[in-house]
Structures are given as structure tokens and as C-alpha cells.
Amino acid sequence: VIRRDGSIAWLASKGRVIRGPAGRAERMIGVNIDITERKRAEERLRSYFELPLIGMAITSPDRRFVEVNQKLCDILGYSKDQLTGMSWVDVTHPDDVAENIRLLDETLRGKTEGYVMDKRFIHRDGHIVYTSISARCARRADRTVDYLALIVQDITQRKLAEDRLMESEAQLRLLTELIPQHIWTAHPGNMDDYRNRRWLDYTGMTIEEVRQRGWMIALHPDDHEIVFNAIREASSKKGIYEVEIR
């Protein structure tokens, strides 16, 4: 409806035909309900749904994509027409299907209202897409699940960076175990978080003993103050210390 001021209003209109004795339509009766605010809310939700910030979808209890936004299509490499109606099982990494179904079943049984998990999708071209997903259900009056709203965040770059970091740390740890010198890391004072195997074998201590009792227990008592003073000075000034200890 176009109002006198030019603005547009939405109405939900219901009517009924009243028939005469001969069965002919003689009158109509109806009612109109202003649904302008509801329509505006739907439009705001639609505009949010289509923002190119994060993958979003509406999925059915039988694991199918009912509606998807363009960002999710970009993440998975499919068009909207291709994804709509497809089972998300078909684009999920096989090793992640069982856990996703388990979490969904808990929601369908009413045990939860949704779930969060990290899962892998298979892109249309075959490569793995690492994602973090969050699902929330909408229930009917009888408490059965009508649909689930799904948010999908692509974390592939972060995951690959974490894997590279873990690989680098593993290589560094291997290097520290192979070189003949004693390698260690510690907090200021007497608390350790790492001693390599050479140091442990040399002192006869275990890493658990070092962490519980401190590494200085392996030193000659007369050298404790020398080390403490050197560490204190390095912490406040130079940052590096050198001492000869027993």
C-alpha cells in the first residue's frame, strides 16, 4: 500500500467470499494487518545474511542446505543453486562427518539448542577448507526442530599457519636434542620450562624434578648467589649474562 505521504506499507490481507442462496458471490469480507515492521526486520536480516563477511546458511534437520549466502558459496566453491538442496555431509571431510552428526542428533533430541565445532569441508576443486562452525536451531511449538541457522568461518589460513609453527617448533626441539651443548629455557629465578636431554643426562635430574624443585638444585651451593646476581643484573640492564659455575 502506498500511503498519502509516499511511503510504502506492507499488509497481510485475508478475505472471504459470501455467497447468496443461489450460490453466487454477493459480498466479500476481510481484514488487513499491518506487517510493515516485520517486513523491515526481514529485510534487515536479509541484508545481514548477504554481507560478504562470513558464511551463513539455513539447514534442515535432514542435513540439507535450505538457503545459503554468497560467502559460503565462495568458501566451498559452489553456486547457490548447486549448494541449495545438497546434503552438507557430501561436502564434509569424511573424518568429521560422524562428530557433526552426533552433535546434530543431540540438538534434534532436545539435549542442546545448537553446537560449535571445528570441521573440515571439501572444496569443489578437492582441497580441504578448515572452518569453525556454529549452529543454532529454531523449534516449532511441539519442540521439534524446524531448521538450523549455521555460521561458517573459514580458518584455513590460521590453521595452516599453526601447522607451520608446530612444525618449526618440532624441528627446533629436535635440533636442541641433537647438539652436544646444554640447551634450556627458564623464567627469571629458579623456575624452568625446558632442559634438553644433554643437560638432564649430565645432571642426572628428570624434567619433572627440575620443574618441581628448580634447576639450581643441580648447582654447587656456593654458586647460587653468583647466578642470582648475574640474572638480576641481566634482567635490569644488559639482558645477557655469562658465569662460570659448578
Side-chain angles (χ1 to χ4, degrees):
V1 175
I2 301 178
R3 292 171 171 161
R4 181 172 295 182
D5 62 5
S7 63
I8 296 176
W10 285 87
L11 300 176
S13 181
K14 292 184 179 181
R16 182 178 180 181
V17 175
I18 299 176
R19 300 182 183 278
R24 296 179 58 185
E26 294 184 351
R27 299 183 66 189
M28 294 184 66
I29 186 171
V31 60
N32 293 334
I33 301 174
D34 189 336
I35 59 170
T36 304
E37 288 304 315
R38 191 192 79 188
K39 281 292 185 179
R40 288 174 178 170
E42 291 174 353
E43 290 171 359
R44 288 194 295 268
L45 180 60
R46 169 60 53 187
S47 64
Y48 173 72
F49 189 81
E50 291 300 338
L51 288 174
L53 303 176
I54 197 166
M56 300 181 70
I58 301 299
T59 63
S60 63
D62 65 353
R63 310 167 194 166
R64 296 190 176 278
F65 291 113
V66 176
E67 192 170 356
V68 296
N69 72 348
Q70 186 57 49
K71 181 62 177 181
L72 183 61
C73 294
D74 296 340
I75 290 172
L76 300 181
Y78 292 87
S79 68
K80 287 187 178 182
D81 289 342
Q82 290 170 326
L83 271 186
T84 302
M86 182 185 294
S87 171
W88 50 253
V89 173
D90 295 335
V91 291
T92 298
H93 191 286
D95 293 343
D96 292 341
V97 171
E99 176 64 8
N100 202 160
I101 291 177
R102 183 189 70 80
L103 293 171
L104 173 61
D105 286 346
E106 287 185 348
T107 301
L108 295 180
R109 294 197 306 268
K111 190 175 180 180
T112 65
E113 294 303 304
Y115 56 89
V116 175
M117 70 175 290
D118 287 346
K119 68 176 285 186
R120 293 162 290 182
F121 285 101
I122 306 297
H123 192 276
R124 188 183 181 192
D125 67 13
H127 74 264
I128 295 175
V129 181
Y130 294 89
T131 69
S132 176
I133 70 170
S134 177
R136 184 79 177 181
C137 75
R139 296 188 184 275
R140 304 182 183 92
D142 62 1
R143 298 297 296 162
T144 59
V145 174
D146 186 14
Y147 63 88
L148 294 99
L150 183 69
I151 293 177
V152 181
Q153 182 179 5
D154 186 348
I155 60 170
T156 302
Q157 294 305 314
R158 189 188 80 189
K159 177 64 176 175
L160 294 178
E162 290 173 351
D163 289 345
R164 288 193 294 269
L165 178 60
M166 290 178 62
E167 183 179 357
S168 297
E169 289 177 344
Q171 292 173 348
L172 179 60
R173 182 62 59 92
L174 177 61
L175 179 61
T176 63
E177 295 298 339
L178 291 177
I179 62 177
Q181 286 78 22
H182 300 166
I183 304 297
W184 52 270
T185 61
H187 303 287
N190 191 26
M191 301 305 295
D192 257 12
D193 53 13
Y194 175 72
R195 297 269 158 169
N196 72 348
R197 175 51 51 187
R198 298 273 182 178
W199 191 95
L200 296 174
D201 291 344
Y202 189 81
T203 61
M205 297 183 69
T206 65
I207 190 62
E208 290 76 18
E209 289 176 318
V210 173
R211 289 172 178 167
Q212 292 173 7
R213 303 171 62 189
W215 62 273
M216 292 187 68
I217 194 173
L219 301 185
H220 191 287
D222 293 344
D223 292 342
H224 286 196
E225 185 175 357
I226 296 173
V227 173
F228 271 129
N229 290 338
I231 293 175
R232 188 181 302 111
E233 184 177 359
S235 298
S236 61
K237 296 180 181 179
K238 299 185 298 183
I240 298 175
Y241 73 89
E242 294 183 20
V243 293
E244 292 184 357
I245 55 177
R246 294 165 286 181

